[in-house]
Amino acid sequence: MKKGYLLAPLLIIAFGFAKLPLEQRHSDSMIDRGLRQPVDMGLGEELGQGALIAVLGGYRSILASLLYVESQVFFERREWAKVETTFRLVTSLQPQFERYWELGGWHLAYNAASSYRFDESRRLAVRETLFHEWLDRGIAMLEDGLRHLPDSWRLHADLAEIYRSRKEDPRLAAHHFRMALANGARPLYERMLAYELVLLGDRESWQEAYDILMDHYRQGHRMPSAIRDLKILEERLDIPLEQRIPEEAPPPLEPEPGADATSGRPQPGPAAATAPVPA
Amino acid sequence: MSDSDSSRPTDPGSPPLQNSGLGGALWRVWVLACSTLTQLVRMKVFVFLILATLVLAAMAFAVVTFSPEEELKLIRDVALGSMHLFASLLAIAATAILLPRDVEDRTLYTILSKPVPRYEYLIGKWLGVVLLIGICLLFMDLFYSAILWWRQESLIQAQLAAFEAAGQLDAGLAEEVRTAIASQGLTWGFHSGAFGILLQGAVLTSAVLLLSTIATSTLFTILAGVAVLLIGHGQELARRYFLEGQVSTTMERLIATPVAIVFPDFSLFQSAADAASVGTGLPLGDLLRLTTIAVLYILVYKIAASLIFAEREL
């Protein structure tokens, strides 16, 4: 046998053993920092063989984009189970893209849940059960997103909004608004936090809400909803008359910038500035 | 001028090929690379590239999306996907046809009858293909960068105008809109993704060139090249099985071990494009490490190919 034909495979094998730890270290380091995703063969069952080959061929991101586009077709047809399955796949393929988690949570917790709630072909009890079931699926989607992107203020804000407007749980809403703020959400969410704290039953929360709203008031943010809550808090906290704000409590609420007309609070939906309008 | 003429490594006014030493070797490799590039360009590669790029870019705009960020991500994914597709196609197909064509039109004998060592011939061929991939990726990077920047700016203006018309625009919101859209638009991460694809293309080219030194047909080289690409993207699984002892049966060990050892991990290089897809991009340190790994692969595959090609009967 020719020498070269023997040496070449030996060289490749020797290099193969030497490079493994180098590749592994670099790969682990990037996975730890959320810079890449390991190949998950479990995806094959859900994706189908063709799509799995696309993933193996290096087309993970474009496949995620195309599946996302497909999910919009299911959304238009109100095939909610397929919407959920597709978003689960999309987020498995690219868990670092927070927008997919946001949109998945929004579809499930708002569009699917409302679709079932207003489906008059079902009995009221069934509608309410399905509404809460899909609401919980939306929450689960966003919580999964936070496991991958714990610093995402947008996911926290979306969760807070669901707890505020859909679950009516001010304690969890306040928690997620607080987390959103800790991760860089804009000051609007501080006011949102205060509105939820007002709804809690303890004096400490009221004091915190009062401090936040007064701070915003001094900065010139004198929204009707803020004035309303400040007047409530002045009473609850026995604020001396000379320290109270001069405004009267506004009777009917008018919408503030970025707020809906009924509650004076931001509209539901993904928290981004460029959020889509729910259909 | 025929293809064989274009491959002739003699150029009036150039240093003689007989020049010994590193300078002469580098010159010979460069001449071979340029002639290979010319040879490939004459196969109308760029016409196909331009047409396909325009069609793919149009596809990205044809899809309805919910928000500006999603539209920009889709454009970026199409851009990176088409770059990856072109780089892989060129690395496999262009490399696979080089040696058989040079044998067929007897250019190989013309070149090797001169004082050109066989390894220099291989390096020159490899460099020619990598130059072609690099030029294609540069063109696509510039083209898609221009599209991304144009869409990004127009989407920002449209969003700001919409918020202003609704009376909701303040400085904080304007900044947030700009940041949110720009983070998904044209960033340096996009270029780092293209660079990762170039590294992957260079490694794949060297692997396919190694295959073509032992192959007896172009079809075999192309099929084997595609297999290397696919297995290379799943090599990480085999490596984890091998290193972390996750294999439970002898059969699994028999499959995982050679895959982990012989094949390159292309998913490492792909991670640059994946990071670019979500709008982040790899840090410079990671790109440097990836470059080091790519250079090691290329060196080893080049040496192995030279060892085989030196003894191959032509």
Side-chain angles (χ1 to χ4, degrees), chain A residues 68 99 102-103 106-107 267-279, chain B residues 65-70:
Chain A
Y68 162 72
R99 198 90 181 117
E102 277 200 281
L103 284 162
W106 171 65
H107 274 311
Q267 296 167 357
T274 56
V277 179
Chain B
T65 50
F66 267 113
S67 74
E69 290 137 295
E70 290 148 35

Side-chain angles (χ1 to χ4, degrees), chain A residues 2 4 19 23-24 28 33 36 41 56-59 65 68 72 94 97 100 103 154 186 273-274, chain B residues 66 69-70 73 77 84 163 176 233 235-237 239-240 244 260 263 267 270 277 286 297 311:
Chain A
K2 290 171 183 171
K19 58 129 185 167
E23 281 177 340
Q24 184 81 343
D28 284 346
R33 287 177 288 145
R36 70 180 300 241
M41 291 304 280
L56 288 178
Y59 299 98
S65 276
Y68 162 72
Q72 305 310 313
Q94 275 201 310
F97 192 56
Y100 287 151
L103 284 162
R154 284 161 59 149
R186 60 197 165 100
T274 56
Chain B
F66 267 113
E69 290 137 295
E70 290 148 35
K73 181 182 185 297
D77 281 345
H84 181 269
F163 278 117
E176 194 185 320
H233 274 282
Q235 188 260 15
E236 185 187 6
L237 270 182
R239 191 181 68 234
R240 291 193 182 279
E244 296 169 7
F263 290 89
S267 68
Q270 188 62 32
S277 162
D286 289 293
Y297 272 120
E311 294 181 354

